Amino acid sequence: MTDTSPDRLPAATEPTPRRLRLRRALRHQGVVLGGGLIILAVLIALFAPLLAPADPIAQNLTGRLLPPVWLDGGSTEHLLGTDHLGRDYLSRLIYGTRVSLIVGLSVMALSGVIGTTLGFIAGYFGGRVDMVVMYIITTRLTMPSLLIALALIAIIGGSLTTMILVMGLLFWDRYAVVVRTATAQIVQGDFVSAARVAGASAPWIIWNEIRPNVMHHVLVIATLEMAMAVLSEASLSFLGLGVPAPTPSWGLMIAEGRTFLFAKPYLVWIPGIAIFLMVLAINMLGDGLRDISQPDGRR
Amino acid sequence: MTALLSLSGLTVDIPVAAGTLHALRGVTLDVREGEVFAIVGESGCGKSLTAAAILGLLPDSATLRAERMTWDSQDMTRMSRRQRMAMSGPQISAIFQDPLTALNPILSVGEQMTEGFLAHRLGSRSQARARAAELLEAVGVTPAERRMAQFPHELSGGLRQRVMIAMSLMCHPRLVVADEPTTALDVTTQVEILRLLQDRQKEAGLSLVLITHDLGVVAHIADRVAVMYAGEVVEQGSVAQVVGSPAHPYTRALLDCLPDLGQPERKLTPIPGVVPALTGDLTGCAFRNRCPHAHAACAGGIPWHRADTGQGYRCVLAPTSEEAA
Amino acid sequence: MSDPVVLSASEVSVSFRQRQGLFRPPQMIPAVRDVSFEVAQGEVFGIVGESGSGKSTMAKMILRLLRPDAGRLTLAGQPMATIAPYRFARLVQPVFQDPYSSLNPRRSLREIIEMPAAVAGDLAPAERQDRARELFTRVGLPMRLFEAYPNQISGGQRQRVAIARALMTRPRVLICDEPTSALDVSVQAQILDLFEELRAQFALTYVFISHNLAVVERIADRVGVMYRGQMVEQGPAQQIFGAPSHPYTRMLLASALPPQPGRPLPVINRDFDSAPAQP
């Protein structure tokens, strides 16, 4: 060959899949905005003792129901005012981020592990194993999850741990269904056969060959489930079945502020906005992750 | 000889992530009335896109430009979508590589065969069914009446392709474009389908544009052939000329690397390197990075040599410098 | 032939069950029926046949991806079913048809080639990478692609990666199931050359399955012809291609279309086949 100037290999133009996804992620508004808000919430939760101006459960019965700073009678001492027991509302809101995130992330992880494991097993082995797992999944799907969570917690008694366990043991169905379908398709690939011929065990193949190809599905479901768990925690706490009373939780704050809905509406809408923003951020991140994991990267 | 379909300087650009893909770069060819015209090349050379351009099936994002693109002397680039639609069926029809995806899975064979005929108002329902039955018998899908009640998934690959062929003939087209019609089939079935295609083409006197990667298929059923490489026609002429005494280095290289039954001792010469990316500016001969005869002039403008016999090719090598290979 | 037999099949059969609806009993469709052959060390045994002939099913059984219903398969003199997984992987490795589905899209080419050694865990990571690097260059890939991903390379390059992976365990036998059928002819010629070179260098034995008769004629020493699950004829390549005895083989050979202009299409004669050819 004397002249090789038009020799442009495809390798020069296509970036690695990992870098491609990162680049797409950083260009996607939803991922940047949603992810940014979640990172902010995590930082607030971690540094709550430093950020909160006061002890969130310290009562001050002489300074009850003080309005936030922008209303008449408000002061910079309590930026968001105080509640019916005189506790600093901003501090309660900041500490409430902890409960919300702990529940959201724990439920997401617990249900994620259960659901993806079942999905991998059903999809990989197929046949009778698949039939049994599908039976378990359908049984689970016939049960109204929130109602069962309510009933169980009402019997056992509410606490952070019971709430996480009950929801974590119930919310795995979507993971299982999606991972099962994806796995069943990937198992057909010749690269899985190559690993089998190499003597790889089923767990090895699932972990090393299949998992990297379904993680993007799992991530999207994880955000959905986390948003669901955050909302459920708020609902259960609102009903008095979630975290017990002095612990600051956004759902509990709404429940307690409800009595003063007409006189002091901000007691309800301040924690309401916190819940709204948290769920919105998680969903935006989830939608974004789904967009960037599309093979062609189209929105 | 009148050209039924005439393309000159056909260019198709498609926007992709890395810029603009110059998928077709000045394709020029004429398809005459009643001939089998083959377009041959390797994957990515633009042969299927040329078929899509003829059929009006380019993706929406693609931009098409042409110095000339005429059908029976009418300018195709000026036709409205409606006019193009009216052509597909009675003027031009298509046969695709994979009949399973090209056929509608929820319509019976009879229903989809008569659909176009009725849409173009070429006759009554009973006339449509009679024509469908007649064509199915002719392509060996028998008994036609029972087959018309069946659905595509109930037929074997060979039978499905026969149905596709029968369907493409329903509206008495003047040109059938067949895109890799036998690639998915077994070798024995391929021969039967090609014979069928050839018989129908001769009998109806229609023109056939055959898109294929297989020079063996070309040699057996085409009258004339265009060899494509990197979005261009690099050589064109009668099959006897192009396959029998190829002039362009790429055509020769393609024949040299094709294993031939009965000659296991003949040395195959693989073509080194890869096809250049068709994004960005491409100048000179696109084959020069893989060509054994490449030299400095190949980076400049490449002339189109045309012999008196009608054989033409795009190369800086003068027609006389052809080796006695 | 004096070379020892490395792979043998003796009256191997397998059927697939096809469901006939919820309440009817499943029907057993025979895919391979009583197939016997022997492959000597260092030879290339070609298997030709059309789709549905059972040649790929045969490959799956040799790779232990499918268990035969009946018959005996032996490898290096040992019944195949009794060989321990890692030892099996050092005897036999596959090269598949589809260069897209044969490489994990989320793994780098280095990881893909190292996979068989990573599974066995018999090499230190550095040693493993050295061997992968050596094979990477050996199959003709430029080192700058070593950490690239499958989506960044062409079909022919992917098939080279698959071949490098197959050589990672230093196997004695490669089972190649239509390894060049998805490639362009110019690339096919490159890969066939590579197979020839590797065969000599690594003293490999190939079972080479293809529907492309010209390719098999070129590479195989002996050939088996499969038709409807049975091996209807087998013998030295010259004999099968030069003087075929079974009518099916003759028909198959007649349907090849050489790139020589001026010949009419061959006549396909299915007379030997009493059963209806198509459903």
Side-chain angles (χ1 to χ4, degrees):
Chain A
M1 277 183 278
T2 42
D3 184 355
T4 54
S5 59
D7 191 358
R8 267 167 294 170
L9 286 169
T13 53
E14 289 280 324
T16 67
R18 202 168 293 163
R19 200 175 306 159
L20 193 70
R21 267 172 281 145
L22 187 69
R23 196 188 295 168
R24 280 183 194 160
L26 292 178
R27 265 198 312 232
H28 194 285
Q29 290 172 0
V31 174
V32 173
L33 210 62
L37 273 172
I38 291 168
I39 291 171
L40 186 70
V42 170
L43 290 176
I44 290 174
L46 282 175
F47 298 107
L50 300 177
L51 292 169
D55 184 345
I57 52 174
Q59 300 182 7
N60 176 10
L61 295 177
T62 54
R64 294 167 55 204
L65 295 171
L66 292 176
V69 65
W70 61 87
L71 292 177
D72 287 345
S75 76
T76 50
E77 200 190 335
H78 299 288
L79 286 175
L80 293 180
T82 58
D83 68 0
H84 65 293
L85 295 174
R87 296 174 294 199
D88 182 54
Y89 222 50
L90 177 62
S91 303
R92 287 187 70 73
L93 197 71
I94 288 172
Y95 274 88
T97 317
R98 285 187 160 182
V99 173
S100 198
L101 278 177
I102 287 173
V103 172
L105 292 172
S106 312
V107 170
M108 175 183 96
L110 180 59
S111 58
V113 169
I114 299 172
T116 39
T117 307
L118 284 172
F120 278 139
I121 292 172
Y124 184 85
F125 292 102
R128 296 227 168 94
V129 178
D130 185 37
M131 264 168 65
V132 171
V133 176
M134 268 319 277
Y135 182 78
I136 301 174
I137 295 175
T138 6
T139 312
R140 158 63 198 83
L141 282 172
T142 56
M143 307 190 288
S145 51
L146 198 61
L147 213 62
I148 293 194
L150 268 173
L152 278 174
I153 293 169
I155 297 165
I156 309 169
S159 81
L160 202 59
T161 328
T162 34
M163 206 159 42
I164 290 168
L165 281 177
V166 167
M167 284 199 271
L169 292 173
L170 279 170
F171 290 179
W172 49 263
D173 48 303
R174 232 181 307 199
Y175 289 101
V177 172
V178 172
V179 171
R180 168 183 171 268
T181 316
T183 305
Q185 195 212 333
I186 293 162
V187 159
Q188 308 290 326
D190 288 339
F191 64 86
V192 173
S193 300
R196 280 188 185 154
V197 177
S201 63
W204 194 97
I205 293 176
I206 288 172
W207 187 257
N208 290 287
E209 302 286 347
I210 297 174
R211 183 190 49 93
N213 288 290
V214 299
M215 267 333 271
H216 58 281
H217 295 301
V218 173
L219 226 58
V220 173
I221 303 163
T223 58
L224 287 173
E225 295 302 333
M226 182 175 165
M228 172 86 170
V230 167
L231 274 180
S232 307
E233 181 274 321
S235 315
L236 289 169
S237 297
F238 175 84
L239 295 170
L241 293 166
V243 290
T247 322
S249 146
W250 295 341
L252 196 60
M253 285 167 77
I254 295 181
E256 289 166 350
R258 184 182 46 160
T259 333
F260 312 99
L261 184 62
F262 296 106
K264 317 267 183 191
Y266 56 85
L267 284 178
V268 170
W269 64 248
I270 288 174
I273 285 177
I275 295 172
F276 170 76
L277 281 180
M278 179 72 90
V279 173
L280 183 72
I282 299 170
N283 279 327
M284 267 166 42
L285 180 68
D287 278 357
L289 289 176
R290 193 184 47 215
D291 285 347
I292 61 175
S293 64
Q294 305 279 324
D296 54 0
R298 267 183 233 144
R299 308 260 168 94
Chain B
M1 282 274 196
T2 49
L4 183 62
L5 174 77
S6 177
L7 307 179
S8 176
L10 176 69
T11 306
V12 169
D13 289 340
I14 298 169
V16 290
T20 304
L21 181 75
H22 303 292
L24 295 183
R25 306 183 299 130
V27 171
T28 300
L29 52 88
D30 284 344
V31 180
R32 298 168 190 159
E33 197 96 49
E35 76 171 344
V36 178
F37 188 90
I39 302 178
V40 68
E42 297 185 282
S43 52
C45 70
K47 56 188 192 298
S48 285
L49 215 60
T50 306
I54 296 170
L55 292 165
L57 294 176
L58 286 175
D60 284 342
S61 60
T63 44
L64 177 148
R65 275 169 292 123
E67 285 157 27
R68 191 178 68 242
M69 187 174 179
T70 58
W71 169 258
D72 210 5
S73 310
Q74 294 163 268
D75 189 348
M76 287 174 95
T77 55
R78 284 161 185 266
M79 285 183 188
S80 66
R81 193 166 270 265
R82 204 199 183 93
Q83 283 169 301
R84 286 299 290 266
M85 290 277 286
M87 276 176 68
S88 74
Q91 305 284 339
I92 305 181
S93 69
I95 299 168
F96 297 102
Q97 174 177 351
D98 181 5
L100 193 57
T101 54
L103 294 172
N104 187 336
I106 58 159
L107 291 184
S108 70
V109 168
E111 282 169 324
Q112 45 198 322
M113 283 193 69
T114 53
E115 205 181 20
F117 188 89
L118 295 171
H120 286 291
R121 299 175 193 287
L122 298 175
S124 68
R125 187 164 295 273
S126 61
Q127 282 170 317
R129 288 194 70 84
R131 169 128 184 101
E134 174 198 323
L135 284 169
L136 285 176
E137 294 282 351
V139 297
V141 182
T142 50
E145 276 307 320
R146 189 166 71 80
R147 296 296 190 184
M148 279 167 73
Q150 286 186 313
F151 288 86
H153 69 266
E154 298 176 277
L155 308 173
S156 70
L159 276 181
R160 271 185 224 127
Q161 200 55 293
R162 285 166 197 259
V163 169
M164 271 297 278
I165 292 172
M167 199 157 103
S168 75
L169 300 172
M170 272 300 284
C171 304
H172 304 278
R174 296 170 67 191
L175 172 71
V176 174
V177 178
D179 190 355
E180 302 270 11
T182 58
T183 305
L185 304 175
D186 283 324
V187 281
T188 50
T189 318
Q190 160 165 291
V191 172
E192 290 166 331
I193 295 290
L194 289 176
R195 177 180 306 282
L196 197 70
L197 216 48
Q198 197 174 41
D199 289 351
R200 297 295 102 201
Q201 179 265 336
K202 289 223 168 75
E203 195 179 279
L206 51 82
S207 306
L208 177 67
V209 170
L210 179 76
I211 313 285
T212 180
H213 68 281
D214 190 337
L215 281 163
V217 170
V218 172
H220 279 82
I221 88 160
D223 299 312
R224 290 194 309 132
V225 56
V227 181
M228 286 188 72
Y229 183 79
E232 286 180 312
V233 174
V234 293
E235 179 161 7
Q236 190 168 176
S238 74
V239 166
Q241 292 163 346
V242 174
V243 183
S245 52
H248 194 281
Y250 174 66
T251 317
R252 271 185 262 157
L254 209 52
L255 283 161
D256 284 345
C257 65
L258 194 65
D260 198 352
L261 196 64
Q263 302 181 338
E265 304 307 324
R266 201 191 95 221
K267 178 97 184 81
L268 298 187
T269 319
I271 308 177
V274 292
V275 182
L278 294 180
T279 46
D281 281 331
L282 268 182
T283 51
C285 173
F287 187 59
R288 70 180 187 274
N289 64 327
R290 307 174 75 183
C291 180
H293 311 290
H295 55 283
C298 299
I302 311 295
W304 177 260
H305 293 294
R306 193 178 181 88
D308 298 335
T309 53
Q311 184 174 11
Y313 66 100
R314 185 185 300 280
C315 185
V316 294
L317 291 181
T320 47
S321 78
E322 193 191 317
E323 300 157 312
Chain C
M1 221 174 279
S2 57
D3 289 326
V5 169
V6 64
L7 171 72
S8 82
S10 150
E11 299 189 346
V12 170
S13 300
V14 72
S15 303
F16 295 127
R17 56 173 66 230
Q18 191 180 48
R19 282 180 188 280
Q20 301 268 305
L22 198 54
F23 299 107
R24 270 189 280 175
Q27 198 186 346
M28 300 307 279
I29 312 284
V32 168
R33 286 182 288 172
D34 296 329
V35 169
S36 304
F37 59 84
E38 289 186 342
V39 183
Q41 177 71 43
E43 82 169 340
V44 178
F45 184 67
I47 301 181
V48 297
E50 298 184 287
S51 56
S53 64
K55 58 190 195 305
S56 284
T57 309
M58 200 60 234
K60 282 205 177 94
M61 287 191 284
I62 301 173
L63 290 166
R64 293 209 305 199
L65 294 168
L66 189 70
R67 210 191 300 258
D69 296 338
R72 254 171 80 87
L73 281 163
T74 65
L75 193 58
Q78 203 181 336
M80 195 122 106
T82 65
I83 303 174
Y86 298 152
R87 188 172 127 70
F88 182 77
R90 282 196 293 270
L91 289 170
V92 180
Q93 281 292 302
V95 177
F96 297 108
Q97 170 175 8
D98 181 359
Y100 288 85
S101 105
S102 75
L103 309 185
N104 189 337
R106 306 265 172 172
R107 293 260 170 241
S108 73
L109 305 185
R110 175 182 60 76
E111 291 173 312
I112 289 168
I113 295 173
E114 285 182 5
M115 182 278 287
V119 168
D122 56 351
L123 291 178
E127 221 178 323
R128 195 197 290 166
Q129 190 164 337
D130 284 348
R131 190 184 285 187
R133 188 173 284 135
E134 179 195 315
L135 288 168
F136 201 73
T137 13
R138 182 60 202 86
V139 297
L141 290 166
M143 277 315 293
R144 65 185 166 82
L145 294 178
F146 197 45
E147 296 289 343
Y149 283 79
N151 71 317
Q152 300 173 301
I153 61 174
S154 69
Q157 289 173 324
R158 283 160 176 265
Q159 209 58 316
R160 289 173 192 271
V161 173
I163 292 168
R165 170 179 62 195
L167 296 175
M168 194 67 191
T169 61
R170 305 231 190 282
R172 289 167 67 182
V173 185
L174 282 196
I175 311 298
C176 310
D177 188 3
E178 303 269 9
T180 64
S181 302
L183 305 174
D184 276 322
V185 285
S186 65
V187 183
Q188 167 174 284
Q190 295 172 6
I191 299 292
L192 287 176
D193 271 4
L194 180 64
F195 274 124
E196 288 288 4
E197 292 168 19
L198 295 173
R199 176 192 183 187
Q201 188 186 339
F202 294 98
L204 288 165
T205 305
Y206 293 144
V207 174
F208 198 100
I209 297 169
S210 180
H211 71 277
N212 190 327
L213 299 165
V215 166
V216 173
E217 183 189 26
R218 208 154 255 285
I219 196 164
D221 302 313
R222 287 196 312 119
V223 176
V225 182
M226 287 194 70
Y227 177 61
R228 296 195 174 182
Q230 287 176 311
M231 197 163 273
V232 292
E233 180 169 8
Q234 60 177 308
Q238 293 99 318
Q239 183 195 316
I240 299 286
F241 289 97
S245 57
H246 195 277
Y248 175 72
T249 315
R250 286 202 283 272
M251 181 184 84
L252 209 54
L253 288 169
S255 22
L257 302 177
Q260 286 145 17
R263 291 195 187 180
L265 280 171
V267 177
I268 297 296
N269 185 355
R270 291 192 192 269
D271 285 349
F272 69 92
D273 189 12
S274 50
Q278 277 158 340

